[in-house]
Amino acid sequence: MKREGQTIEYKESWRDESLKTVCAFANGKGGTLYVGIRDNGEVCGVTNANKLLEDIPSKVNECLGILCQVETKGSKGKVYVIVKVVSSETAISYHGKYYTRSGSTTQELNGVALQDFLQKRSNRAWESEIQEAVNLKDIDDTALAKFKELSKPRMPQASRKMSKNQLLQRLNLLSHGKLTRAAILMFGKDPQRFYPGAHVRIGRFSTEDRPLATDNVSGNLLYQAEAVYELLTKKYLVSEISIAGLIRSENLEYPEKALREAIINSLAHRDYAGSHVQIKVYSDKITFWNPGRLPIEITLEQLRKKHPSHPRNKLIASMLFNAGLIEGWGTGTTNMIAECRNAGLPDPIFEEHVSGIRVTFCKDAYTDELMEKAGWAEGQRKTVVYLKKHGKITNQEYQELNGTKKRTASRDLAELLKMAVIEKSGSTGKGTTYSLRGHKGVKGAKLNEHPSPQRSLDARLLDLDRALEGFDPEEEIQIQFDKELFLKILNTWLAVLLGEFIVVIQKFNKYFKNPRHYVNLPSPYGGIEFSSKNIDTVIKEVLSQISAPHVHFQSYDSKFTIHTS
């Protein structure tokens, strides 16, 4: 016998409560109910099989309004009943309540999940409904123009001289000449006027409930997709900086492609009748949460492998695909996994959380939370935590740490070796030590290493954000450097210093409304602008200027000065 699951249920005997399971099968992919079989698959049989052959179809039709196929089979002299249910195109209720399958359990639908289910069964998606009290003036021409540009490779006809009305019609965003909800979400000037929850909130947290900094991103989806990524990567995440000569490279804490996939997924598949998208940044992980459960056709396990696409918002997903923001159908989650593995990070965690979907990227595969979820024994978890702190452990130290005997310690360490978690070094006996295999703790840092300068800088920049909220842009800023100091650090270290320095200057410039007050550096060829140019370009220009003899830099309005002579 197969195990119980999405489409299989075992019952020792028939009770009218089983009609809930039949209802759930009809509202899902269909399924088979076996009466006379225990949960473990053992056939116990029924004594009234012939009566059930008549009663079950009658009750199913009377209570649910559907037909089912009922038959009997025998096994070792015991007879059981098989009830086969096909998927229904319309919503089926039992005593006014709607049920569906979640794995091997039958659950009642309510709240947002029920609303979403009924909408799908009505063949009219939420995004396709007409949005009253709007007209073409509520559409942002800039967003439409950006879509035309982005969609050239996949939808070249959109880049032609289509009128606003023609393009919206082509994208199925007009219904009987009126704008749909999808049109306002994708291209509206102010979508939050109609859908207050259609925004993204980003926060940095020290603990689960203590935010250090937050930002809200509103606007249409084309704007949100780019703005969220920029804010996340420029303000909330740290880049590891490496210098080779004058070439400066940056690598984010998490793979850029995986982050983009998570952002787009949260916008494309969220329930827009629910709350806002939440992105939480911690020192060791980042989480993306969007309202709306998985469609009944997809399970959490299927997200980890190639699976068919069942987008909640088909119109929005189609437009994001045409704009090149979605690479393929049903590949977003597998792409995230591949990108994390390529970067040497743990696989993302996909889970249902508070009526929504949460995706978590972790820096460390050996956190207590992840090890416990993976089913590791307490002793194994304690040992890994010890190794992360001390670097290595001996058999004797393992015995003392876990309060075990030598034989138990040897067995446990052998198991960790088999799991490829630790590696062994040294000769047998007292000279043998064990360490974590290829583990770096925080990505890019060695074990027991102090926090990186970039991480410290990131914390300082958050403080700078708060301080500058009350900053007077008319105040004079002067920085004096001795030329001898410049000559000493005129090498790779100077490039590193400038890399961090420019980030700070760009932070300052964010708070200046008048371009005259921007902090820039003059040059014989014009100004070197910290606020707009690529950081690599700025570093090269500054280095070339500083290397000249008797240099005197002064900004145009005397607000920023560097003397080297």
Side-chain angles (χ1 to χ4, degrees):
M1 286 288 182
K2 295 181 179 179
R3 292 183 178 181
E4 288 185 313
Q6 193 85 10
T7 58
I8 294 176
E9 175 81 3
Y10 297 138
K11 297 289 184 183
E12 289 190 34
S13 61
W14 172 266
R15 295 181 182 179
D16 286 351
E17 283 285 304
S18 299
L19 288 169
K20 293 180 180 179
T21 301
V22 175
C23 176
F25 283 150
N27 285 330
K29 300 178 180 179
T32 304
L33 174 67
Y34 295 86
V35 182
I37 299 181
R38 295 190 175 95
D39 290 345
N40 61 5
E42 178 188 352
V43 177
C44 58
V46 294
T47 57
N48 56 343
N50 290 333
K51 188 174 186 301
L52 291 177
L53 281 174
E54 296 180 6
D55 289 352
I56 292 176
S58 176
K59 287 186 177 182
V60 168
N61 187 29
E62 179 185 349
C63 297
L64 304 179
I66 61 175
L67 299 176
C68 64
Q69 180 183 341
V70 182
E71 59 186 53
T72 61
K73 279 192 175 182
S75 174
K76 297 181 181 180
K78 297 177 181 179
V79 178
Y80 59 93
V81 179
I82 302 174
V83 183
K84 295 182 178 180
V85 184
V86 297
S87 178
S88 173
E89 293 183 0
T90 59
I92 304 299
S93 66
Y94 173 60
H95 290 331
K97 296 181 179 180
Y98 296 85
Y99 297 89
T100 188
R101 295 286 285 181
S102 177
S104 60
T105 63
T106 296
Q107 296 183 355
E108 181 186 347
L109 288 167
N110 49 52
V112 174
L114 175 59
Q115 179 185 358
D116 185 48
F117 168 75
L118 294 175
Q119 195 126 37
K120 286 182 178 179
R121 282 300 195 271
S122 68
N123 294 320
R124 183 71 178 175
W126 181 90
E127 61 176 349
S128 299
E129 296 288 343
I130 291 172
Q131 177 58 56
E132 302 293 345
V134 297
N135 54 47
L136 291 180
K137 292 182 180 178
D138 293 291
I139 296 297
D140 185 354
D141 292 337
T142 303
L144 278 180
K146 183 174 183 178
F147 177 81
K148 285 185 176 182
E149 184 64 28
L150 292 173
S151 64
K152 279 182 179 179
R154 292 177 176 172
M155 194 179 173
Q157 64 270 32
S159 63
R160 298 172 186 164
K161 293 183 178 180
M162 277 188 179
S163 66
K164 182 188 296 187
N165 193 78
Q166 288 173 329
L167 180 56
L168 294 173
Q169 188 75 51
R170 172 66 181 79
L171 295 172
N172 298 314
L173 298 180
L174 292 176
S175 178
H176 304 291
K178 295 186 177 181
L179 291 168
T180 62
R181 290 166 171 168
I184 297 300
L185 283 168
M186 195 72 182
F187 302 119
K189 292 179 180 177
D190 184 15
Q192 288 69 39
R193 170 186 163 197
F194 307 99
Y195 325 115
H199 66 275
V200 179
R201 178 171 294 174
I202 309 174
R204 176 178 287 281
F205 291 75
S206 59
T207 63
E208 286 292 335
D209 56 358
R210 184 186 174 190
L212 300 176
T214 59
D215 283 281
N216 284 320
V217 179
S218 299
N220 57 59
L221 297 188
L222 277 182
Y223 172 78
Q224 285 189 33
E226 195 58 37
V228 168
Y229 179 78
E230 287 295 318
L231 190 60
L232 193 62
T233 56
K234 301 299 183 186
K235 177 176 178 179
Y236 285 89
L237 296 179
V238 177
S239 293
E240 295 176 357
I241 301 174
S242 60
I243 304 293
L246 292 179
I247 305 300
R248 177 182 186 274
S249 61
E250 297 184 23
N251 293 302
L252 278 173
E253 300 173 81
Y254 306 96
E256 294 185 34
K257 289 184 179 180
L259 292 174
R260 285 192 178 275
E261 289 282 4
I263 293 169
I264 297 301
N265 268 10
S266 66
L267 296 178
H269 304 307
R270 60 156 296 180
D271 175 14
Y272 280 96
S275 182
H276 55 272
V277 171
Q278 298 177 17
I279 303 175
K280 295 183 176 182
V281 182
Y282 302 87
S283 61
D284 61 343
K285 65 182 179 180
I286 178 171
T287 66
F288 296 79
W289 178 88
N290 64 265
R293 296 183 183 276
L294 282 176
I296 59 175
E297 300 87 354
I298 298 292
T299 65
L300 286 171
E301 183 57 34
Q302 287 176 313
L303 295 179
R304 301 187 55 79
K305 51 192 176 184
K306 190 175 181 180
H307 59 273
S309 176
H310 295 277
R312 178 188 303 275
N313 308 297
K314 292 182 175 62
L315 284 175
I316 291 174
S318 177
M319 286 184 285
L320 292 173
F321 174 79
N322 285 325
L325 300 178
I326 294 178
E327 290 301 322
W329 298 105
T331 61
T333 52
T334 54
N335 286 344
M336 291 182 213
I337 293 172
E339 289 296 327
C340 286
R341 289 179 179 178
N342 289 339
L345 297 178
D347 286 0
I349 301 170
F350 305 102
E351 54 191 334
E352 291 188 301
H353 178 73
V354 194
S355 299
I357 300 299
R358 182 168 66 184
V359 180
T360 303
F361 296 124
C362 300
K363 296 180 184 176
D364 187 355
Y366 299 136
T367 65
D368 194 63
E369 177 186 4
L370 291 180
M371 289 188 290
E372 186 173 3
K373 282 186 177 181
W376 289 31
E378 182 182 1
Q380 292 173 324
R381 301 201 304 271
K382 286 174 65 176
T383 301
V384 169
V385 171
Y386 180 91
L387 287 173
K388 287 164 66 175
K389 182 178 181 181
H390 300 282
K392 60 183 180 179
I393 192 171
T394 64
N395 189 296
Q396 181 62 39
E397 289 169 338
Y398 186 98
Q399 296 174 47
E400 296 171 358
L401 177 68
N402 293 290
T404 62
K405 295 182 178 180
K406 183 176 181 180
R407 178 179 296 179
T408 302
S410 299
R411 183 194 62 207
D412 291 350
L413 288 167
E415 180 65 23
L416 288 173
L417 282 169
K418 184 178 179 182
M419 293 165 62
V421 173
I422 62 175
E423 54 189 0
K424 182 179 178 181
S425 61
S427 58
T428 57
K430 294 183 178 180
T432 302
T433 61
Y434 303 86
S435 59
L436 287 177
R437 181 186 294 272
H439 179 64
K440 294 184 178 181
V442 175
K443 180 175 177 285
K446 296 179 180 179
L447 287 172
N448 306 319
E449 188 177 50
H450 294 293
S452 67
Q454 288 77 29
R455 184 165 302 284
S456 301
L457 174 67
D458 186 59
R460 294 198 301 273
L461 292 181
L462 286 176
D463 293 335
L464 179 62
D465 264 332
R466 299 190 188 95
L468 288 178
E469 289 177 359
F471 177 71
D472 180 3
E474 293 300 324
E475 286 187 17
E476 183 171 346
I477 305 172
Q478 289 200 5
I479 299 179
Q480 302 281 343
F481 286 104
D482 183 80
K483 183 175 181 180
E484 184 178 350
L485 174 61
F486 264 113
L487 295 176
K488 287 182 179 180
I489 62 175
L490 191 57
N491 51 30
T492 302
W493 286 106
L494 177 58
V496 176
L497 170 66
L498 286 170
E500 296 191 358
F501 176 68
I502 291 168
V503 174
V504 177
I505 295 302
Q506 289 175 333
K507 283 281 184 182
F508 273 103
N509 284 347
K510 171 183 169 186
Y511 290 88
F512 287 113
K513 294 183 179 179
N514 187 340
R516 289 194 318 104
H517 296 154
Y518 286 168
V519 177
N520 296 319
L521 285 179
S523 163
Y525 314 104
I528 299 176
E529 298 181 1
F530 283 126
S531 56
S532 62
K533 285 194 176 183
N534 178 279
I535 291 180
D536 293 339
T537 303
V538 175
I539 290 176
K540 290 179 181 178
E541 292 188 36
V542 172
L543 286 175
S544 65
Q545 296 296 320
I546 292 176
S547 62
H550 307 294
V551 178
H552 177 86
F553 290 143
Q554 183 169 324
S555 66
Y556 298 122
D557 57 0
S558 299
K559 299 297 180 184
F560 182 83
T561 307
I562 296 179
H563 297 287
T564 63
S565 56

